[in-house]
Amino acid sequence: MREANAFPIWPGVAPGSERWTRTEVAYRDGAGKAMIRNVVQPTLTPILPDPAKATGAAAIVCPGGGFRFHSWDSEGIEVARWLAERGIAAFVLKYRLVDTGATPAEFEKRLAAFFALLSRPAPAGRLPADPERGRILPLAVADGVQAAKVVRERAAEWKVDPEKVGMVGFSAGAMVTMG
């Protein structure tokens, strides 16, 4: 799903995914909310406040989804709109995700394997071991760092104070934020 004003955060291909051939897939969940999987090209989607309400602050919003998909509407666009209504410029980050297959059947199979992995016992306070997360996390974190850099570099364009740029994330997006 690409918002009309979304733009890539990396010049050219994002470093580390030069050989990726998967195709991004936008779909709707059971509640009709937009979801995205197989992200290769990270983007930012600006949701700006009414200039009369603008505070000069900005937040990069990182939706969750276990690094398998983005909960694009509920943890991205809706959060950004909420922030913009309160005078905060928001930028929804579509960071790179693991390959979940080309077809809906492949996606369902890989998602079932992921949920089976999550049901395994793990040491207290730790997530179950997930090799896919281990491989994608450095790239997703790099996307978060690049997004912050881009928002700060282009702050004047959006009437944002480059010293007032924060980040908020949900689930996997929180891991990007912490990184």
Side-chain angles (χ1 to χ4, degrees):
M1 196 142 302
R2 180 154 182 156
E3 299 289 318
N5 59 344
F7 62 91
I9 61 170
W10 295 100
V13 177
S17 53
E18 295 87 354
R19 292 192 173 111
W20 291 8
T21 59
R22 61 188 134 220
T23 300
E24 186 173 298
V25 177
Y27 64 101
R28 301 246 171 223
D29 68 6
K33 301 281 185 174
M35 310 287 277
I36 304 170
R37 64 187 183 87
N38 289 347
V39 172
V40 174
Q41 182 182 43
T43 65
L44 277 176
T45 299
I47 310 276
L48 303 176
D50 179 319
K53 289 184 176 181
T55 64
I60 297 164
V61 180
C62 304
F67 296 105
R68 271 57 180 185
F69 55 84
H70 287 308
S71 294
W72 190 249
D73 278 347
S74 62
E75 296 177 358
I77 298 297
E78 291 172 11
V79 173
R81 288 183 180 144
W82 186 91
L83 290 164
E85 287 169 7
R86 286 148 183 83
I88 301 166
F91 300 85
V92 184
L93 175 61
K94 186 169 61 171
Y95 53 90
R96 286 173 280 180
L97 300 172
V98 302
D99 184 357
T100 56
T103 68
E106 289 173 295
F107 175 54
E108 291 300 323
K109 182 178 177 182
R110 292 181 189 189
L111 208 53
F114 173 61
F115 288 126
L117 176 92
L118 291 179
S119 69
R120 293 183 190 150
R126 306 226 9 135
L127 293 170
D130 178 1
E132 295 278 1
R133 180 182 61 234
R135 285 189 285 276
I136 200 69
L137 183 59
L139 300 176
V141 167
D143 295 341
V145 170
Q146 180 70 6
K149 179 180 173 187
V150 168
V151 171
R152 287 187 175 115
E153 286 174 351
R154 296 177 61 181
E157 176 182 339
W158 296 302
K159 297 176 180 52
V160 166
D161 181 340
E163 298 299 316
K164 294 183 180 179
V165 177
M167 190 175 282
V168 60
F170 300 85
S171 189
M175 294 176 80
V176 172
T177 298
M178 290 186 305

